[in-house]
Amino acid sequence: MKPLRVALLGCGTVGSEVVRLLREQAADLTARVGAPLELAGVAVRRPERAREHVDPGLLTTDAMSLVTRDDVDIVVEVIGGIEPARSLLLAAMKAGKSVVTANKALLAEDGETVFGAAREYGADLYYEAAVAGAIPLLRPLRESLVGDHVKRVIGIVNGTTNYILDQMDTFGASFTDALEEAQSLGYAEADPTADVEGFDAAAKAAILAQLAFHTPVSAADVHREGITEVTAADVAGAKAMNSVVKLLAICERVPDPDGSNGGRGVSVRVYPAMIPRSHPLASVREAYNAVFVEAQSAGSLMFYGAGAGGAPTASAVLGDLVAVARNRVGGTRGPVEVTYAELPVLPMGETVTRYYVQLDVADRSGVLAQVAELFARHDVSIQAVRQEGYGNDAKLVVVTHRAPDAALAATVEGLQRMDIVREVASVMRVEADEAP
Ligand SMILES: NC(=O)C1=CN([C@@H]2O[C@H](COP(=O)(O)OP(=O)(O)OC[C@H]3O[C@@H](n4cnc5c(N)ncnc54)[C@H](O)[C@@H]3O)[C@@H](O)[C@H]2O)C=CC1
Ligand SMILES: N[C@@H](CC=O)C(=O)O
Ligand code: NA
């Protein structure tokens, strides 16, 4: 059988592992695809650098010529970022190549163009590695669950931030030390701001929401808060509540009051939140990822595994590579993205959540009543309130019932202006528990 020729774009953390696996598993991959997979070229920025497993004769800095070469069938993009990745993928699809990418930033920022090109040119576009690394998640959403009605997707989709929060929670590590470790382990993006400010998780949330709800969602639609403002007080507050702080990506269909099945819209958001230690997401440690999918007929499904790192991510890339190669051998195509639902993405203010608020207060009579009155004024119902310490160390901890995020935010602003409140020491959303 004629070999299928693969152009690899980028040979960093993920790309170098793709090359290694292609070489080490060549015989098995040939048997599984029905044709050998042959590396036609590797586009890099610095060809003078020695690379294990790569024949130097395959290296080029001219990625555009490589992707359009007649002897290339499949293009694997693991450069990352928007340009030149977008131009390279568009040129590849136009030239009739099948495409595999791990680039969530591009798919979330300008999925319309990239998915549109796949439709226009009839090209295969696979991207399992883009969300939750090695975990098979996009293929289940795109194929296995496509006959169901997905209601909610909630999970931990960024390994770097989970690693940092876990180190802070378990060992009391500093943010900076934990980030450096995550970088050295190959989990972090080239610019770790993408991880710690939540951009990476927001891109993944957009991709998940689009697939789950068959509706266009881009990174700009996602409410995003990172973990740079998570303090030791937040982590300690969570501990005292028998909870843990996790950076969550949440994609929800918001029910329509008239009961229509499609829903009023979708809420897509990323923020650090407290979850009870008894919840399965709380036991997701280090750089692992886990995602719950709640569907009408399937019920709750949990996907767990390595969400970052060279070899795990390369596993997902190889899975896609075999899939597109099989399609080429069989003369077929994979699934095409459909976003027929056109559900609106609702503003964060309308999203219903719960808050944990820790206040340093003056310890005198009437304080609790004034604080409670402010919550009531914003129609935010209190689930529990507790005082810790006394005198100058008095703290009030308030946990609310569900309320629109705008009402909760206005309540916190009001607390910040109250004389009796010395400091709003910690504010954190509370998720994934059963409370109303
Ligand atoms: N590292 C991880 O754990 C994961 C990474 N990803 C995604 O995989 C992609 C690659 O990530 P990493 O390998 O971690 O990044 P990396 O920064 O280690 O590798 C990217 C490589 O592309 C090269 N490059 C940049 N511009 C180029 C150009 N114009 N032509 C040729 N090469 C160029 C860089 O020199 C670098 O070696 C990104 O889209 C990332 O978001 C996805 C899941 C997990
Ligand atoms: N930087 C990302 C890598 C995978 O997408 C992460 O930390 O999860
Ligand atoms: Na994945």
Side-chain angles (χ1 to χ4, degrees):
M1 184 79 196
K2 194 168 151 281
L4 287 162
R5 307 258 299 158
V6 179
L8 179 68
L9 313 181
C11 198
T13 306
V14 180
S16 56
E17 286 298 302
V18 170
V19 176
R20 180 179 67 79
L21 293 175
L22 271 176
R23 176 180 285 231
E24 287 178 7
Q25 300 179 11
D28 283 335
L29 293 172
T30 302
R32 291 172 199 171
V33 169
L37 293 176
E38 237 176 55
L39 208 49
V42 181
V44 295
R45 261 197 311 211
R46 288 180 294 275
E48 65 287 353
R49 254 186 59 194
R51 283 155 221 270
E52 223 186 332
H53 310 296
V54 189
D55 169 1
L58 292 176
L59 298 178
T60 174
T61 51
D62 187 356
M64 189 52 90
S65 300
L66 176 61
V67 301
T68 49
R69 250 165 55 184
D70 288 343
D71 67 331
V72 166
D73 302 291
I74 300 167
V75 171
V76 174
E77 184 270 312
V78 279
I79 290 175
I82 309 302
E83 285 295 350
R86 174 173 46 200
S87 302
L88 293 167
L89 292 188
L90 297 182
M93 289 190 275
K94 189 171 181 190
K97 320 298 182 196
S98 305
V99 164
V100 174
T101 178
N103 194 334
K104 57 257 163 163
L106 173 59
L107 295 178
E109 185 170 313
D110 194 12
E112 205 182 325
T113 304
V114 183
F115 294 124
R119 270 194 301 273
E120 183 180 349
Y121 302 120
D124 263 355
L125 170 63
Y126 279 55
Y127 49 99
E128 182 60 71
V131 181
I135 307 173
L137 176 61
L138 302 189
R139 191 105 34 105
L141 279 172
R142 228 177 160 189
E143 299 182 31
S144 323
L145 289 166
V146 73
D148 209 327
H149 179 79
V150 176
K151 294 192 283 189
R152 195 164 190 244
V153 179
I154 174 168
I156 295 166
V157 293
N158 183 269
T160 302
T161 47
N162 201 56
Y163 188 85
I164 294 171
L165 292 172
D166 184 43
Q167 296 287 308
M168 286 169 80
D169 178 61
T170 313
F171 305 112
S174 78
F175 181 93
T176 319
D177 288 351
L179 172 59
E180 272 172 23
E181 268 183 74
Q183 284 177 292
S184 73
L185 292 165
Y187 305 142
E189 295 301 302
D191 175 2
T193 312
D195 296 299
V196 296
E197 294 293 1
F199 290 101
D200 178 80
K204 291 166 175 167
I207 294 170
L208 287 172
Q210 176 151 322
L211 279 179
F213 308 130
H214 311 283
T215 212
V217 181
S218 75
D221 297 322
V222 181
H223 174 88
R224 174 194 54 78
E225 294 169 35
I227 65 161
T228 48
E229 287 177 13
V230 174
T231 61
D234 297 327
V235 173
K239 268 199 172 136
M241 298 265 301
N242 206 19
S243 294
V244 60
V245 179
K246 295 288 186 189
L247 184 72
L248 298 180
I250 305 173
C251 316
E252 259 171 358
R253 213 184 265 276
V254 179
D256 204 322
D258 73 9
S260 97
N261 201 28
R264 184 161 69 85
V266 295
S267 162
V268 191
R269 52 205 206 259
V270 165
Y271 45 63
M274 279 187 190
I275 57 172
R277 277 192 199 264
S278 56
H279 192 278
L281 285 177
S283 58
V284 177
R285 303 278 313 275
E286 301 187 339
Y288 284 93
N289 285 188
V291 177
F292 272 83
V293 178
E294 293 165 27
Q296 192 161 279
S297 305
S300 291
L301 307 165
M302 184 172 174
F303 299 83
Y304 171 84
T313 307
S315 162
V317 171
L318 262 280
D320 282 353
L321 186 46
V322 168
V324 299
R326 282 175 169 165
N327 290 347
R328 287 189 90 94
V329 168
T332 62
R333 269 192 81 186
V336 181
E337 275 1 302
V338 276
T339 53
Y340 66 91
E342 301 282 348
L343 292 167
V345 181
L346 302 175
M348 185 60 201
E350 289 180 32
T351 295
V352 174
T353 62
R354 299 174 61 219
Y355 270 30
Y356 160 98
V357 185
Q358 194 194 110
L359 306 169
D360 288 353
V361 289
D363 189 9
R364 56 171 192 260
S365 62
V367 167
L368 181 55
Q370 285 183 58
V371 167
E373 194 278 326
L374 182 77
F375 278 81
R377 210 183 310 147
H378 291 283
D379 208 13
V380 174
S381 165
I382 292 175
Q383 187 213 8
V385 63
R386 191 177 71 226
Q387 175 167 347
E388 287 170 7
Y390 49 86
N392 285 342
D393 291 328
K395 280 192 199 334
L396 272 187
V397 174
V398 180
V399 182
T400 73
H401 282 296
R402 289 183 204 286
D405 199 78
L408 290 158
T411 308
V412 170
E413 267 178 40
L415 290 168
Q416 277 157 344
R417 285 196 300 269
M418 282 176 103
D419 291 343
I420 51 160
V421 173
R422 279 197 297 262
E423 193 194 354
V424 178
S426 172
V427 178
M428 182 108 338
R429 293 188 184 83
V430 178
E431 296 282 352
D433 64 357
E434 296 308 316

